[in-house]
């Protein structure tokens, strides 16, 4: 039979599903291998051809590993809580669970069609209660833990309480809030429970904190940074302001150093590691206290009589000419003198409108306001003005900087703009030779630093500051604690209720805390999150938390659930975790660099600390697949003299002669850049009467590579490709497009070639009448050589994740075998196994036709490469006499030196060259040359 891909693919997809072919074994004598894809958010639009790229690569790898004798875990699931379903619910009233369910069904159908070898018995959905029960459970463990810096790990909060009871707060070295109390054991025990609880909240790894959020009053909700554009909501264009709100936070900063160090132990792309390093942003520097000059109006400055700054250039302290604090700094109000109040207030109001991103990006425009107060330089007593400016971020360092106009460009511009003093100093960080105090521009008031280089100078200043109690060395991280909540409906409820203003965990036995039903997915009239609408949803002791968990909660541990997906006692059994340990290969997009991939590492480290998992890092090897870009097509609308668009369209080759404006046109009505005019007329009602200015009788469209997106009409649906060519062709073609990591435009120019290749492969097993038939004869050397070349190539390629390079090698192999008229069973059977991870359906079919039990192909042993078949068995030896090459002679490589000598001397042509003489000496270099000395 001819290659009937539709029947074949359907048949095998059904077979695999019915027989659970890809079910991973829970226990096995085989070594384990865990291949994971980033699970998708099931959006309403379904999959386009860009989505499966990474999935195809990981599937090839998973199938290959099974052939190599591994017990492979290759699961799939859905990250199914999130905003789009909720937004749709707001518009239509449809429950997000229903839309989510429908979207998942579409995804599943599309994934199944591609022939992935997922173990669907382990499917997870983050929005299903039996899953989010464990997300809530992990939240509870975080709430019940604190970070002990001495042990450098998370520990149980009861251990902290025991310490407080025995020793008070002395001797605790924790990652915690800044304002923790100091108390003795007796004082602790005498504290009312509520005071104890609010103190403990300052230590817990998940805690409530007042944080600045993007608040959109018109939408009644908090927006993520990427939902805000220039101070307005992306959706609706409503004004957004910075607002302080109590929010759940995760103390990820406790793990900053470990997150940084861990990067050196994992096999991830270097650019991605670099992104995480920058995000974590470790800075080594110093913190310095600048005493505030006492004046009458500072009556409210009781606890602080200094401003603390963080600097990475403490060596420049003698060049400080003013201090700048963030407009949100807690001391702004008390530092502002009555004369400066109007200026300061106006400045603060203006700042509120800017997001943190805008503030950092806005480096060129200098702005600020003087508070009217002064600090003193702790080393030379110099009196220094205190300013506020929005380039200083409240959340970084101490929210205050010492400004050195002669060292820092931003400070320089600021000083120039406001006419502040500039004191010259030598930049010892960039100085090439040792600083020379006799030279001009030498340090001012810095005798103890003179002559020192950067390192020694820095150490000297820090020592000096330490000796007078005005400063110390400090390591600072740019990374902030992560906000853990949103004022939305479609997410995990936080398993917490409030009593007397304090949060309490619900009973573990009451998990999962189910998401309640609400009448509308909008905030309440009083501005509370949608959960505030749930009727009768109340804990016996108090009110439930109304915000839900953020999108990253469910995805920060899901790879563990796949190890033991149906466990209702634990998130996964110890046994399963000890067996599967970690993910060996993780494939997904680089857009998750500082989100999912950082949060997952954080939760993993925490779970390791509390002895729930065994590995410090979750994903040993990671590959980022590139994006498949869309190839957009354009038509060009003719513009008339008044500048109005007409209904006439100019072919691309002629647009220079006219005034036109481009318009996206659906790529599905364009073939090889030629517009299908009939279909175009039906594309939109107003095009029915469209007219065209053609070139050579055709309308040629313009082309551009852009992101694949519905709005650009350049989305190619895998279903269409599969319908036309089959899944095996799609799989091979997506790999053929280029290196996995690279972004590349989708174009179908080569797809016919791949399809023809598979047909040619099928043909090897069939005669001219398309009857199946193979021979049992001994394979020829040439056949074995072609086979073993491809065995070696595919093995090498897959092991180094170079999937595209194998595809052309398969084509060469099939061409070679076709030329050899090979229909040899052993050769073809091995070829079937080698190709099967790329094109599994056709290979399963041929495998059964060859007489093997159905479905056993997935676990057949990958053919062993034998280098002997590749060795050329003869060599054309150059035969020389007295160093001069006379001729070449084909000699078997299996002969040893003595035999070669005899073979050469027995040759009639050689004898002719020798002209009756007997050589004095015959030198044979095996595989290289034969030289005779006469
Ligand atoms: C004096 C100085 C002199 C500085 C000089 C730099 C150059 P990184 O490496 O990013 O940690 N800074 C400190 N806190 C800040 C805040 N909240 N907002 C904005 N800027 C802040 O940078 C640390 C440096 O950034 C610090 O060192 C401080 O300026 C500034 F020639 O102090 B420096």
């Amino acid at each position: 039979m001819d290659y009937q891909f539709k029947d074949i693919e359907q048949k095998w997809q059904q077979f695999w599903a019915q027989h659970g072919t890809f079910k991973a074994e829970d226990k096995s004598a085989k070594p384990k291998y865990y291949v994971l894809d980033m699970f998708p958010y099931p959006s309403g639009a379904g999959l386009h051809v860009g989505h499966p790229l990474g999935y195809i690569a990981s599937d090839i790898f998973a199938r290959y590993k099974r052939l190599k004798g591994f017990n492979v875990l290759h699961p799939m699931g859905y990250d199914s809580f999130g905003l789009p379903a909720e937004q749709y619910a707001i518009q239509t009233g449809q429950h997000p669970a229903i839309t989510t369910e429908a979207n998942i069904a579409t995804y599943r159908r599309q994934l199944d069609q591609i022939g992935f070898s997922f173990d669907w018995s382990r499917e997870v959905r983050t929005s299903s209660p039996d899953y989010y029960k464990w997300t809530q459970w992990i939240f509870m463990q975080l709430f019940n833990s604190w970070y002990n810096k001495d042990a450098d790990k998370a520990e149980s909060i009861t251990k902290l309480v025991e310490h407080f009871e025995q020793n008070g707060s002395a001797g605790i070295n924790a990652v915690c809030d800044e304002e923790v109390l100091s108390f003795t054991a007796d004082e602790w025990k005498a504290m009312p429970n509520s005071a104890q609880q609010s103190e403990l909240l300052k230590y817990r790894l998940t805690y409530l904190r007042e944080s600045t959020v993007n608040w959109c009053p018109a939408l009644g909700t908090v927006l993520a940074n990427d939902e805000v554009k220039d101070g307005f909501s992306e959706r609706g264009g409503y004004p957004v302001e910075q607002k302080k709100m109590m929010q759940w936070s995760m103390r990820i900063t406790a793990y900053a150093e470990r997150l940084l160090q861990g990067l050196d132990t994992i096999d991830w792309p270097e650019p991605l590691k670099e992104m995480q390093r920058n995000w974590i942003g470790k800075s080594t520097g110093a913190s310095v206290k600048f005493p505030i000059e006492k004046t009458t109006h500072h009556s409210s400055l009781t606890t602080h009589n200094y401003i603390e700054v963080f600097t990475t250039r403490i060596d420049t302290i003698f060049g400080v000419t003013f201090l700048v604090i963030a407009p949100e700094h807690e001391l702004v109000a008390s530092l502002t003198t009555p004369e400066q109040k109007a200026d300061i207030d106006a400045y603060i109001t203006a700042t509120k409108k800017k997001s943190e991103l805008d503030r950092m990006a806005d480096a060129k425009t200098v702005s600020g306001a003087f508070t009217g107060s002064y600090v003193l330089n702790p080393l030379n007593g110099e009196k220094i003005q205190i300013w506020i400016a929005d380039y200083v971020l409240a959340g970084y360092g101490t929210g205050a900087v010492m400004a050195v106009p002669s060292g820092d460009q931003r400070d320089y511009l600021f000083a120039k703009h406001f006419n502040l003093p500039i004191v010259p100093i030598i930049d010892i960080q960039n100085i090439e030779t040792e600083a020379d105090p006799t030279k001009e521009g030498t340090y001012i008031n810095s005798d103890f630093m003179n002559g020192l280089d950067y390192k020694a100078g820095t150490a000297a200043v820090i020592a000096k500051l330490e000796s007078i109690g005005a400063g110390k060395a400090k390591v600072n991280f740019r990374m902030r604690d992560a906000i853990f909540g949103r004022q939305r409906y479609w997410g995990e409820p936080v398993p917490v209720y409030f009593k007397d203003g304090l949060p309490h965990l619900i009973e573990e036995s009451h998990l999962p805390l189910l998401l309640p039903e609400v009448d509308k997915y909008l905030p309440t009239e009083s501005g509370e999150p949608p959960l505030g609408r749930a009727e009768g949803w109340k804990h016996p002791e108090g009110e439930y938390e109304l915000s839900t968990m953020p999108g990253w909660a469910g995805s920060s541990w899901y790879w563990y659930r796949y190890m033991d997906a149906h466990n209702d006692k634990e998130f996964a059994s110890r046994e399963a975790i000890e067996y599967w340990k970690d993910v060996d290969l993780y494939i997904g997009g680089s857009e998750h660099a500082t989100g999912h991939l950082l949060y997952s590492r954080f939760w993993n480290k925490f779970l390791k600390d509390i002895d729930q998992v065994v590995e410090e890092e979750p994903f040993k090897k990671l590959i980022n697949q590139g994006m498949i870009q869309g190839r957009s097509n354009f038509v060009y609308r003719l513009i008339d003299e008044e500048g109005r668009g007409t209904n006439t369209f100019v072919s691309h080759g002629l647009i220079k002669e006219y005034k036109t404006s481009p318009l996206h046109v659906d790529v599905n009505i364009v073939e090889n850049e030629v517009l299908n005019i009939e279909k175009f007329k039906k594309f939109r009602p107003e095009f029915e009467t469209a007219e065209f200015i053609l070139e050579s009788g055709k309308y040629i469209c313009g082309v551009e590579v852009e992101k694949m997106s519905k709005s650009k009409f350049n989305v190619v649906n895998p279903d269409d490709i599969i319908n036309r060519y089959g899944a095996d062709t799609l799989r091979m073609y997506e790999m053929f497009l280029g290196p996995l990591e690279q972004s590349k435009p989708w174009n179908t120019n080569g797809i016919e070639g791949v399809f023809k290749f598979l047909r040619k492969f099928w043909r090897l097993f069939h005669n001219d009448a398309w009857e199946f038939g193979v021979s049992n004869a001994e394979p020829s050397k040439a056949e074995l050589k072609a086979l073993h070349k491809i065995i070696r190539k595919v093995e090498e390629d897959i092991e180094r994740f170079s999937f595209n390079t194998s595809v052309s090698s398969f084509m060469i192999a099939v061409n070679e075998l076709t030329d050899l008229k090979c229909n040899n069973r052993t050769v073809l059977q091995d070829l079937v196994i080698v190709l099967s991870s790329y094109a599994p359906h056709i290979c399963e079919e041929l495998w059964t036709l060859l007489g093997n039990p159905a479905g056993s192909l997935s676990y057949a042993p990958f053919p062993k490469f034998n280098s002997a078949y590749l060795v050329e068995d003869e060599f054309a030896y150059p035969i020389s006499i007295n160093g001069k090459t006379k001729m070449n002679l084909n000699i078997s490589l299996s002969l040893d030196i003595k035999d070669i000598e005899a073979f050469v001397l027995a040759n009639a042509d050689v004898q002719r060259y020798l002209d009756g003489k007997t050589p004095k000496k015959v030198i044979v270099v095996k595989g290289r040359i034969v030289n005779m000395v006469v």
Side-chain angles (χ1 to χ4, degrees):
M1 220 194 308
D2 196 352
Y3 173 38
Q4 302 286 348
F5 62 85
K6 273 199 182 135
D7 298 342
I8 294 174
E9 295 186 353
Q10 235 175 42
K11 168 180 164 189
W12 287 104
Q13 283 161 16
Q14 271 169 18
F15 179 94
W16 295 328
Q18 272 164 16
H19 293 80
T21 307
F22 307 114
K23 245 179 120 136
E25 293 167 55
D26 286 324
K27 257 191 248 155
S28 171
K30 295 177 183 176
K32 71 102 186 183
Y33 201 90
Y34 190 170
V35 186
L36 183 66
D37 294 296
M38 289 186 184
F39 62 168
Y41 172 79
S43 84
L47 291 177
H48 65 55
V49 289
H51 295 123
L53 183 76
Y55 299 164
I56 293 171
S58 64
D59 196 61
I60 290 171
F61 203 79
R63 286 177 177 271
Y64 168 77
K65 279 286 180 187
R66 286 191 201 98
L67 300 173
K68 281 286 189 178
F70 287 82
N71 180 25
V72 173
L73 176 55
H74 186 41
M76 186 43 93
Y78 304 97
D79 190 12
S80 47
F81 270 136
L83 287 187
E86 177 155 359
Q87 220 57 44
Y88 189 74
I90 292 170
Q91 285 157 21
T92 62
Q94 176 94 276
H95 196 293
I98 296 171
T99 5
T100 303
E101 185 74 38
N103 293 349
I104 286 179
T106 306
Y107 266 64
R108 179 63 192 269
R109 184 185 55 74
Q110 288 189 299
L111 291 172
D112 280 348
Q113 272 188 29
I114 305 175
F116 291 126
S117 65
F118 293 128
D119 177 353
W120 283 109
S121 71
R122 297 169 187 262
E123 181 198 294
V124 305
R125 299 178 181 191
T126 54
S127 61
S128 106
D130 60 357
Y131 181 89
Y132 70 67
K133 168 178 179 174
W134 299 108
T135 310
Q136 292 172 334
W137 182 85
I138 294 170
F139 175 93
M140 292 171 82
Q141 309 313 306
L142 284 153
F143 186 85
N144 280 331
S145 303
W146 64 293
Y147 202 89
N148 183 346
K149 276 204 238 180
D150 289 338
D152 201 17
K153 63 191 281 241
E155 286 179 353
S156 161
I157 206 91
T158 43
K159 245 181 124 169
L160 182 68
V161 172
E162 276 167 23
H163 181 102
F164 286 166
E165 281 168 355
Q166 280 156 27
N167 311 299
S169 59
I172 286 294
N173 188 9
V175 179
C176 54
D177 286 4
E178 255 158 47
E179 266 90 47
V180 291
L181 303 175
S182 295
F183 46 81
T184 63
D186 288 336
E187 283 167 342
W188 171 260
K189 283 182 258 180
M191 270 186 215
N193 183 262
S194 61
Q196 288 180 340
Q197 289 307 320
S198 55
E199 190 59 19
L200 289 175
L201 204 51
K202 298 176 187 167
Y203 291 84
R204 297 181 188 276
L205 287 184
T206 183
Y207 62 103
L208 278 166
R209 179 184 67 166
E210 191 172 61
S211 36
T212 315
V213 295
N214 303 306
W215 174 250
C216 179
L219 293 176
T221 187
V222 168
L223 298 174
N225 279 339
D226 55 358
E227 295 173 305
V228 184
K229 288 262 138 57
D230 305 321
F232 292 90
S233 65
E234 192 166 45
R235 195 180 289 272
Y238 302 107
V240 174
E241 54 185 59
Q242 305 294 302
K243 183 178 156 182
K244 290 201 162 174
M245 263 176 84
M246 281 307 252
Q247 295 258 33
W248 284 99
S249 269
M250 288 275 165
R251 229 180 274 281
I252 186 173
T253 50
Y255 287 87
E257 187 65 44
R258 279 166 66 186
L259 287 167
L260 193 62
Q261 298 309 326
L263 289 172
D264 297 334
T265 68
I266 48 184
D267 182 7
W268 285 21
E270 204 43 50
L272 196 135
K273 288 191 188 182
E274 209 42 37
M275 276 162 89
Q276 290 210 347
R277 284 190 193 108
N278 287 335
W279 184 263
I280 295 166
K282 182 175 179 177
S283 286
T284 311
S287 70
V288 192
K289 293 173 181 170
F290 283 74
I292 296 165
E293 197 207 26
K294 296 215 170 37
T295 56
T296 43
H297 79 276
H298 289 150
S299 54
S300 56
L301 281 179
T302 47
T303 48
H304 284 92
N305 46 14
Y306 58 84
I307 294 175
E308 188 165 14
V309 306
F310 172 72
T311 174
T312 45
R313 293 297 308 276
I314 191 62
D315 58 297
T316 64
I317 191 161
F318 295 108
V320 176
T321 56
F322 56 102
L323 232 64
V324 188
I325 63 179
E328 300 86 352
H329 197 283
E330 53 178 344
L331 295 181
V332 172
S334 50
L335 289 171
T336 304
T337 57
E339 304 78 57
Q340 295 302 115
K341 191 164 179 340
D343 272 12
I344 292 281
D345 286 351
Y347 191 75
I348 290 175
T349 312
T351 306
K352 276 206 181 124
K353 297 203 180 101
K354 289 196 196 170
S355 75
E356 190 162 299
L357 232 62
D358 294 338
R359 283 169 62 166
M360 287 193 296
D362 216 9
K364 275 176 233 82
T365 44
V366 176
S367 70
F370 178 43
T371 60
S373 292
Y374 296 82
V375 286
L376 304 175
N377 187 322
L379 291 188
N380 61 12
E382 205 83 29
K383 189 168 152 180
I384 295 166
Q385 294 190 355
I386 308 168
W387 285 65
I388 67 170
D390 64 13
Y391 77 78
V392 177
L393 304 174
Y396 186 65
T398 57
V401 309
M402 56 179 224
V404 185
S406 53
D408 183 90
Q409 180 64 9
R410 222 171 24 181
D411 298 344
Y412 177 78
L413 293 174
F414 198 90
K416 276 281 179 213
H417 188 87
F418 291 111
N419 213 8
L420 291 159
I422 299 172
V423 170
I425 48 159
I426 292 181
D427 181 354
I428 55 170
Q429 189 178 37
N430 298 310
I431 208 157
E432 311 228 311
T433 50
E434 253 186 27
D436 178 357
T438 61
K439 284 219 178 110
E440 221 182 306
T442 297
Y443 318 126
I444 305 199
N445 288 345
S446 58
D447 44 348
F448 67 90
M449 258 172 82
N450 283 351
L452 299 180
D453 65 7
Y454 174 64
K455 217 175 142 195
T458 301
V461 187
I462 292 177
K464 186 95 181 167
L465 288 166
E466 269 176 357
S467 70
I468 58 171
K472 57 178 190 281
K474 191 176 168 189
V475 174
N476 205 44
F477 290 95
R478 188 161 293 279
M479 186 167 67
R480 299 273 65 96
D481 278 347
I483 290 179
F484 192 76
R486 52 181 176 196
Q487 287 59 42
R488 299 286 188 133
Y489 176 72
W490 193 231
E492 301 86 348
V494 176
V496 159
Y497 63 91
F498 287 87
K499 198 171 117 184
D500 307 324
L502 280 172
H504 296 269
L505 292 180
I506 66 167
E507 286 284 318
E508 200 175 304
S509 59
H510 292 164
L511 290 178
L513 176 60
L514 292 175
L515 189 60
E517 296 300 315
V518 292
D519 59 342
K520 267 194 245 168
Y521 305 99
L522 288 172
T524 65
E525 278 67 44
S526 56
E528 286 190 318
L531 291 192
R533 296 177 173 275
E535 261 175 57
W537 193 61
K538 199 178 167 305
H539 188 272
E541 309 255 331
E543 303 290 335
Y544 282 128
E545 167 64 54
L546 296 180
S547 64
T548 49
M549 296 191 194
W552 58 270
S555 56
S556 294
W557 70 278
Y558 76 111
W559 64 97
Y560 284 115
R561 189 61 179 167
Y562 287 134
M563 295 178 185
D564 191 10
H566 304 288
N567 195 328
D568 58 359
K569 306 273 179 317
E570 295 157 289
F571 69 88
S573 73
R574 183 79 192 179
E575 213 181 352
I577 288 169
E578 280 179 358
Y579 178 70
W580 293 108
K581 293 192 176 70
D582 55 5
V583 174
D584 295 284
L585 173 66
Y586 196 21
I587 298 187
S590 59
E591 66 274 20
H592 301 290
T594 53
H596 161 62
L597 288 172
L598 201 61
Y599 298 132
S600 295
R601 294 181 60 220
F602 159 41
W603 277 27
N604 194 86
K605 285 173 193 298
F606 167 69
L607 290 171
K608 168 91 189 330
D609 284 353
I610 61 166
D611 200 27
Q612 292 289 326
V613 304
V614 293
E615 292 292 333
E616 173 83 11
E617 289 287 340
F619 316 124
K620 261 205 280 262
K621 173 161 185 79
L622 179 98
I623 298 180
N624 293 131
Q625 85 273 15
M627 281 239 283
I628 291 201
Q629 293 146 322
R631 225 170 149 273
S632 306
N633 279 122
F634 294 89
V635 291
Y636 300 87
R637 189 194 282 281
L638 185 69
I639 305 292
D640 69 11
E641 258 123 59
E642 274 97 66
R644 285 178 309 218
T646 66
N647 209 11
T648 299
F649 295 87
V650 181
S651 185
H652 181 246
L654 306 172
I655 54 174
K656 286 216 179 70
E657 299 160 33
Y658 299 89
K659 200 167 167 223
T660 59
S661 89
L663 198 75
H664 278 100
V665 61
D666 188 345
V667 292
N668 296 301
I669 61 170
V670 178
E671 192 145 350
N672 292 327
E673 303 352 327
V674 179
L675 180 71
N676 183 325
I677 289 179
E678 285 322 302
K679 286 186 182 163
F680 179 74
K681 288 186 165 177
K682 290 185 198 123
F683 180 44
R684 275 192 207 153
E686 69 263 33
F687 294 156
E688 228 191 293
T689 56
E691 289 178 32
F692 302 89
I693 300 177
L694 305 175
E695 48 185 315
S696 325
K698 289 177 183 161
Y699 190 99
I700 309 292
C701 296
V703 193
E704 230 174 84
V705 171
E706 299 180 291
K707 190 177 154 80
M708 205 174 264
S709 129
K710 253 185 169 173
S711 65
K712 298 183 165 53
F713 297 104
N714 61 4
V715 172
V716 182
N717 189 318
D719 301 12
D720 298 339
I721 306 281
I722 289 171
N723 249 322
R724 213 157 143 189
Y725 301 104
D728 283 339
T729 296
L730 174 77
R731 292 168 62 106
M732 291 203 82
Y733 189 62
E734 292 226 358
M735 293 299 100
F736 187 59
L737 280 176
L740 177 62
E741 298 89 338
Q742 257 171 38
S743 288
K744 51 232 157 190
W746 176 258
N747 83 56
T748 42
N749 294 344
I751 201 161
E752 288 279 350
V754 173
F755 180 69
K756 283 194 188 125
F757 151 76
L758 284 175
R759 207 155 163 257
K760 206 164 175 185
F761 170 64
W762 179 258
R763 179 119 226 166
L764 284 175
F765 300 75
H766 293 81
N767 63 20
D768 290 343
W770 287 110
E771 285 158 346
F772 180 85
V774 291
S775 94
N776 290 323
E778 278 292 305
S780 71
K781 278 185 185 157
E783 287 170 341
L784 286 169
K785 188 172 164 190
L787 172 68
H788 282 264
K789 256 186 357 198
I790 189 72
I791 295 175
R792 178 174 65 182
K793 176 79 173 133
V794 170
E795 186 161 351
E796 280 176 4
D797 282 353
I798 297 186
E799 298 275 359
R800 61 193 172 93
F801 309 99
S802 173
F803 301 100
N804 59 317
T805 44
S806 290
V807 180
S808 44
S809 305
F810 279 126
M811 293 176 174
I812 294 168
V814 166
N815 284 342
E816 284 175 357
L817 292 173
T818 305
D819 291 346
L820 292 168
K821 302 205 165 35
C822 171
N823 71 342
N824 187 276
R825 175 186 294 278
T826 47
V827 171
L828 293 185
Q829 171 143 319
D830 277 355
L831 184 62
V832 164
I833 304 175
V834 177
L835 181 64
S836 66
S837 40
Y838 282 78
H841 308 85
I842 189 173
C843 290
E844 282 277 21
E845 184 68 16
L846 290 168
W847 178 257
T848 356
L849 285 172
L850 283 165
N852 298 293
S856 59
L857 171 63
S858 299
Y859 296 92
F862 194 85
K864 271 222 153 44
F865 167 64
N866 184 345
S867 59
Y869 295 122
L870 296 201
V871 172
E872 300 287 339
D873 46 8
E874 282 188 341
F875 179 71
Y877 280 84
I879 310 293
S880 330
I881 297 178
N882 291 339
K884 277 215 176 90
T885 306
K886 299 290 178 191
M887 61 181 287
N888 283 316
L889 194 58
N890 281 333
I891 306 172
S892 163
L893 279 165
S894 60
L895 294 188
D896 61 22
I897 289 175
K898 273 270 146 282
D899 293 338
I900 295 172
E901 191 179 324
F903 185 86
V904 170
L905 291 176
N907 185 276
D909 290 333
V910 174
Q911 282 303 328
R912 241 180 329 117
Y913 281 114
L914 284 171
D915 203 12
K917 293 179 199 121
T918 307
K920 291 190 201 103
K921 208 170 164 193
V922 179
I923 305 151
V924 177
V925 184
K926 214 178 156 184
R928 298 284 292 280
I929 194 171
V930 179
N931 187 24
M932 287 169 283
V933 184
V934 292

